[in-house]
Amino acid sequence: MTDTATSLQTAPDAALVQAYLTHVRVEKRLAERTVALYTLDLEKLVAYATEAGLPLRSVYNPHIRRWVAHMHSGGRSARGIALILSGWRGLYVWLGRQGLMDHNPVQDVRAPKAGKPLPKALGVDESVQLASYTHEADDPMLEARDHCITELLYGCGLRIGELVGLDVVASAQARGWIDAEAGEAHVLGKGAKRRSVPVGRAALAALAAWLAVRHAWPQADPALFISARGQRLTPQHIRVRLKRRSLLAGLVTPVHPHMLRHSFASHVLQSSGDLRAVQELLGHASISTTQVYTRLDFQHLAQVYDAAHPRALARGTPPVVPATAEPAKPSTRRR
């Protein structure tokens, strides 16, 4: 048994959970948002166990199944339950490795089945409309910054965490930076994996415009994107600004950062058909994660077909017969 396990042998549930959260934050280096979600999920687990009069180490498979059924009947989505189970499973795997559990109560427990929704992506015209939009009534500093953010999200397919992690210049401490001369963004993605993605001309032009005015704000943080106080922007700040910008640009659907990542992937795949290249650009560890965009691509092709092909109605919609049309007369030709 490890020293950590020995110290936790008689620890209350709250201490076990806190030790696990420290492990995923420090050793596994999960994103702060992921750790925050794990915290909420494990608080729910502790609440269930407390209500049942059980310490976490005395929970068994039937208890987990009962709580899953309770969440499902309460309206929790199948995807939400699956994410919660993932957090619970990780805790019990860690407790087992510490020698504090001889069983994993979440083993073989699955969330209810649910259809896989397609990721929400903008059309090409909508994406260009948003990326090209200029809010002339806004503060020029805010406009330059927000325009650059939009161009990088759509032009590079960055995750929001990768975007906020960008620094102005490369350094040993920087999580990411942009090499404007080489036209490349170097980012730190999921699992602390680094990758480089190309930056297009439009994004580089927006970057140059932002860097030309950025110095007017306090330089308290090396972050590429800062607030008027000189502090690194948070993901929530960017979500609010992007939603506002999309509505001002005349888009019907409010846009969030990941929607631009989906749009980037979908449009590159539609143009190139190269799924492996899209996987590399997005930083997906598995090609199966990227394959969802082939469904978006087929959906696009189906829409083009329905709109353009004279035989498109044969796919399922019966042709419309004019009301005045006479029934065909039987042929009198001998056979």
Side-chain angles (χ1 to χ4, degrees):
M1 184 176 294
T2 65
D3 293 340
T4 301
T6 301
S7 63
L8 293 173
Q9 189 69 37
T10 58
D13 288 348
L16 292 177
V17 169
Q18 192 56 50
Y20 172 67
L21 292 174
T22 300
H23 162 72
V24 298
R25 183 175 58 253
V26 176
E27 296 183 31
K28 297 189 71 175
R29 300 180 67 182
L30 296 186
E32 286 300 323
R33 179 170 171 78
T34 303
V35 175
L37 293 175
Y38 276 14
T39 301
L40 295 175
D41 294 342
L42 294 176
E43 286 175 354
K44 183 181 294 293
L45 174 63
V46 171
Y48 276 128
T50 301
E51 185 178 355
L54 295 167
L56 289 180
R57 294 166 61 190
S58 296
V59 171
Y60 282 85
N61 192 272
H63 300 119
I64 299 293
R65 293 184 184 277
R66 187 183 313 139
W67 298 336
V68 167
H70 182 268
M71 287 188 288
H72 187 51
S73 63
R76 175 77 68 169
S77 69
R79 175 171 171 75
I81 293 174
L83 292 173
I84 290 172
L85 285 175
S86 176
W88 293 1
R89 190 176 294 112
L91 169 68
Y92 281 111
V93 167
W94 179 76
L95 289 174
R97 289 174 179 168
Q98 298 300 320
L100 298 173
M101 294 282 293
D102 58 4
H103 67 283
N104 187 338
V106 195
Q107 187 71 30
D108 298 325
V109 179
R110 296 290 180 266
K113 289 186 177 180
K116 294 182 178 180
L118 289 174
K120 294 181 180 179
L122 298 174
V124 174
D125 291 344
E126 292 177 308
S127 300
V128 173
Q129 178 182 340
L130 176 60
S132 304
Y133 173 74
T134 299
H135 188 208
E136 296 180 355
D138 211 345
D139 181 307
M141 295 279 292
L142 293 175
E143 169 58 28
R145 185 198 66 188
D146 293 353
H147 181 214
C148 184
I149 287 172
T150 306
E151 288 284 4
L152 286 176
L153 287 173
Y154 175 56
C156 303
L158 301 183
R159 299 179 178 95
I160 189 170
E162 296 168 348
L163 182 85
V164 300
L166 292 173
D167 280 359
V168 176
V169 296
S171 69
Q173 294 76 33
R175 291 171 53 194
W177 62 89
I178 295 178
D179 184 341
E181 185 175 347
E184 294 180 346
H186 303 275
V187 297
L188 186 67
K190 285 188 175 180
K193 295 180 179 178
R194 291 196 175 276
R195 76 179 191 283
S196 299
V197 294
V199 183
R201 286 179 296 176
L204 288 174
L207 175 65
W210 163 236
L211 290 177
V213 297
R214 180 187 175 278
H215 62 84
W217 282 346
Q219 307 296 300
D221 198 294
L224 175 59
F225 296 113
I226 56 176
S227 67
R229 296 180 179 179
Q231 299 172 332
R232 186 183 298 268
L233 292 187
T234 65
Q236 182 58 25
H237 192 138
I238 292 177
R239 291 188 188 96
V240 171
R241 296 293 300 182
L242 185 59
K243 178 180 179 180
R244 171 181 179 269
R245 189 177 186 83
S246 65
L247 295 175
L248 287 172
L251 272 65
V252 176
T253 303
V255 175
H256 56 77
H258 220 66
M259 190 182 294
L260 291 181
R261 177 172 162 85
H262 292 322
S263 304
F264 163 85
S266 177
H267 300 163
V268 170
L269 184 61
Q270 286 173 16
S271 299
S272 68
D274 193 334
L275 192 64
R276 286 291 182 184
V278 174
Q279 178 191 3
E280 291 294 326
L281 288 169
L282 294 177
H284 286 162
S286 170
I287 192 68
S288 62
T289 308
T290 318
Q291 283 174 333
V292 67
Y293 295 106
T294 62
R295 295 168 62 197
L296 280 175
D297 190 34
F298 178 79
Q299 187 179 58
H300 165 75
L301 294 176
Q303 290 172 348
V304 171
Y305 174 80
D306 286 341
H309 198 283
R311 294 294 192 184
L313 289 176
R315 295 210 308 150
T317 305
V320 177
V321 179
T324 57
E326 297 181 0
K329 296 180 179 180
S331 174
T332 58
R333 181 182 298 177
R334 295 195 178 194
R335 301 181 182 277

